[in-house]
Amino acid sequence: MANYILADNQDLTRFAMERLIQEKEENVILRATNKKELVTMLQKNEYSTVILDYTLFDIADEEQLLIISERFSMASWILISDDQTERFMRHMIFSSNAFSIVFKDDTIRCILEALQSVSSGKRYISQRAMDFLINQKQEEQEPAVLTVTEREIVKAIAQGKTTKEIANERFSSVHTITTHRKNIFRKLNINTAHEAVKYALRAGLVDSSEFYI
């Protein structure tokens, strides 16, 4: 029997992971909805496997995630998301052996292999993640150029507005704003809204009196 902490704020993913974890044996499954809950659970269950969607959680950046992983060095981590950038994956892989990486649209077999590998004390990097890292161009890329719309959306994110609020203000659908958000994150090679705030400050899209943390 093993301890798992599901740190993913997507209901469908949590449900699916619970089914996969319980497929072969009875395991203890805890659910964390924010960083504070995650830390509290790790304090009580230091040998847990954390299944984390970093892009949907309130962890500020990669360094904060690494600090938490170093603090709870007995824990293992499976990073699972729709969007994981090349920079993020490289940083996690080369910074610590505690991190395994899969994508949410990897096959069930792949997810099961990840769970099995981590339970055996081995790190798992999905084939898709490996292919992405191998095929990614290593040379310096041109600075990302955001469109006027994308810059406006970055500013709105920095002001603390939700995707729904941005959609209402722009008379757009939530799907359209979500697509813009994904394109922005891809162009800027970032993973979280907090990193978008940092970009907005550096780019002069907002000043310190109007941004949100």
Side-chain angles (χ1 to χ4, degrees):
M1 185 173 70
N3 287 343
Y4 290 86
I5 300 176
L6 291 181
D8 189 318
N9 287 319
Q10 191 174 68
D11 289 341
L12 184 59
T13 303
R14 285 203 306 270
F15 175 78
M17 291 305 303
E18 287 179 6
R19 294 293 297 273
L20 291 176
I21 291 169
Q22 298 290 23
E23 188 169 272
K24 293 186 177 180
E25 58 181 303
E26 289 296 321
N27 295 301
V28 176
I29 301 176
L30 305 173
R31 301 167 192 82
T33 61
N34 55 54
K35 181 180 64 180
K36 182 178 180 180
E37 290 181 359
L38 175 59
V39 169
T40 299
M41 290 175 184
L42 284 169
Q43 288 172 336
K44 298 177 181 178
N45 306 275
E46 58 180 341
Y47 287 91
S48 296
T49 295
V50 181
I51 300 173
L52 170 70
D53 186 339
Y54 168 79
T55 65
L56 297 178
F57 226 62
D58 64 338
I59 294 175
D61 52 30
E62 299 157 25
E63 294 305 324
Q64 192 173 87
L65 176 55
L66 286 170
I67 289 170
I68 295 172
S69 72
E70 290 170 3
R71 179 180 175 186
F72 301 101
S73 58
M74 297 297 103
S76 301
W77 300 73
I78 298 177
L79 304 179
I80 180 170
S81 177
D82 289 323
D83 299 297
Q84 303 194 71
T85 65
E86 178 264 346
R87 178 179 61 82
F88 173 74
M89 290 191 290
R90 285 188 184 280
H91 195 177
M92 294 300 103
I93 290 172
F94 293 124
S95 295
S96 173
N97 287 324
F99 294 105
S100 296
I101 296 178
V102 294
F103 287 87
K104 286 189 176 179
D105 57 357
D106 277 326
T107 63
I108 291 178
R109 178 180 177 182
C110 176
I111 305 298
L112 287 171
E113 287 176 353
L115 292 170
Q116 181 60 44
S117 293
V118 172
S119 69
S120 301
K122 301 176 184 177
R123 177 157 73 174
Y124 183 89
I125 309 297
S126 76
Q127 187 60 51
R128 179 183 167 192
M130 289 298 298
D131 290 344
F132 185 82
L133 292 171
I134 291 170
N135 295 328
Q136 185 73 21
K137 291 183 179 179
Q138 299 300 306
E139 62 266 18
E140 292 269 330
Q141 296 182 349
E142 292 295 321
V145 178
L146 301 183
T147 66
V148 173
T149 297
E150 288 170 344
R151 287 171 66 87
E152 290 173 351
I153 291 173
V154 169
K155 180 176 180 178
I157 292 172
Q159 292 170 334
K161 296 176 182 177
T162 66
T163 300
K164 185 176 181 180
E165 288 171 339
I166 298 171
N168 289 338
E169 287 184 358
R170 302 186 63 84
F171 302 101
S172 299
S173 69
V174 170
H175 174 75
T176 297
I177 300 303
T178 299
T179 299
H180 279 306
R181 181 185 171 106
K182 286 185 176 182
N183 289 337
I184 291 166
F185 282 24
R186 175 181 54 78
K187 285 184 177 181
L188 300 180
N189 200 20
I190 61 177
N191 291 278
T192 67
H194 189 88
E195 292 172 297
V197 169
K198 291 181 180 179
Y199 170 84
L201 285 167
R202 291 195 303 267
L205 299 180
V206 293
D207 60 43
S208 57
S209 65
E210 60 178 332
F211 80 93
Y212 169 81
I213 295 181

